[in-house]
């Protein structure tokens, strides 16, 4: 069974026309993301994302614009399992979700808008979904570390600028251990709009 998204909705198929089923149709609170990867969870279900259409449902778009769904490939087994607020409240556009990767029993992804990328981690539920500004290790999430472009990172091939790293690269962490890069996000910050720091800061 293969799960895929189009502008009209999310489908399951066995490869034949007769075996293709519409699991969830596009609507005000379900705008599928055809170019966003889906991930298979440990329970065998497929997790995928959708957004709210803010022009059709501005209230929900403001409060919980990112929608997290799971499916077992059947209409009855396709359910909304979590929601979270989009960092731009779906007001900037164009909005997309990328870098979707399963990490153990969680899924990492990025929300992309207006040249910015904000990392998230989720266990598929509303309570278990955290953006970069709300990632709390005490709650079982992961800590996001950011580097300025040009920062040199030690890899197996030697030092490389952080912007040259790709998922799958092996790097040395601050503890001296090695780890594989799972996903990469970025955000542009206008340094001219931030207060200068003194040498003693």
């Amino acid at each position: 069974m293969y799960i895929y998204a189009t502008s009209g909705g999310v489908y399951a198929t066995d490869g034949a026309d007769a075996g293709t089923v519409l699991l969830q149709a596009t609507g005000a609170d379900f705008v599928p993301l055809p170019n966003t990867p889906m991930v298979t969870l440990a329970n065998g279900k497929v997790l995928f994302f959708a957004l709210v259409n803010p022009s059709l449902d501005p209230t929900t778009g403001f409060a919980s614009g990112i929608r997290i769904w799971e499916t077992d490939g059947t209409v009855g087994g396709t359910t909304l399992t979590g929601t979270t607020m989009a960092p731009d409240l779906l007001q900037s556009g164009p909005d997309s979700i990328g870098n979707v990767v399963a990490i153990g029993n969680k899924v990492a992804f990025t929300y992309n808008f207006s040249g910015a990328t904000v990392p998230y981690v989720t266990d598929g539920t509303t309570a278990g979904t955290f953006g970069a500004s709300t990632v709390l290790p005490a709650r079982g999430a992961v800590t996001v570390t950011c580097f300025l472009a040009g920062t040199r990172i030690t890899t197996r091939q030697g030092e490389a600028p952080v912007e040259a790293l790709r998922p799958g690269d092996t790097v040395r962490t601050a503890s001296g251990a090695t780890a594989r890069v799972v996903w990469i996000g970025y955000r542009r910050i206008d340094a001219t709009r931030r207060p200068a720091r003194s040498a003693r800061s």
Side-chain angles (χ1 to χ4, degrees):
M1 185 65 67
Y2 178 70
I3 312 296
Y4 67 96
T6 71
S7 59
V10 171
Y11 295 80
T13 185
D14 61 5
D17 289 343
T20 301
V21 178
L22 175 63
L23 301 176
Q24 181 68 29
T26 298
D29 293 338
F30 186 81
V31 178
L33 303 169
N35 297 319
T36 298
M38 302 178 181
V39 293
T40 302
L41 305 174
N43 61 10
K45 293 186 177 181
V46 173
L47 181 144
F48 62 93
F49 298 91
L51 299 176
V52 172
N53 185 331
S55 63
L56 298 178
D57 189 351
T59 302
T60 303
F62 239 66
S64 54
I66 301 174
R67 322 293 270 180
I68 304 166
W69 289 74
E70 286 184 12
T71 184
D72 62 4
T74 68
V75 175
T78 302
T79 57
L80 175 67
T81 60
T83 66
T84 192
M85 182 183 294
D88 67 339
L89 305 179
L90 298 182
Q91 300 301 302
S92 297
D95 305 287
S96 66
I97 291 174
N99 300 306
V100 182
V101 178
I103 306 173
N105 62 352
K106 293 183 171 62
V107 174
F109 65 96
T110 57
Y111 180 84
N112 315 300
F113 66 101
S114 298
T117 297
V118 179
Y120 280 79
V121 65
T122 183
D123 64 3
T125 68
T126 300
T129 302
F130 304 96
S133 61
T134 57
V135 170
L136 304 174
R139 298 177 71 174
V142 297
T143 300
V144 176
T145 303
C146 299
F147 298 94
L148 185 67
T151 301
R152 309 293 287 182
I153 305 294
T154 301
T155 72
R156 283 184 173 169
Q157 290 74 37
E159 289 191 350
V162 66
E163 62 270 25
L165 296 179
R166 298 292 181 267
D169 290 347
T170 298
V171 299
R172 179 171 294 157
T173 66
S175 69
T178 58
R180 186 171 61 89
V181 176
V182 177
W183 57 267
I184 296 174
Y186 71 94
R187 182 169 189 173
R188 299 185 186 280
I189 297 175
D190 184 355
T192 63
R193 300 180 61 184
R194 304 179 73 81
R197 298 177 66 183
S198 70
R200 302 177 67 181
S201 296

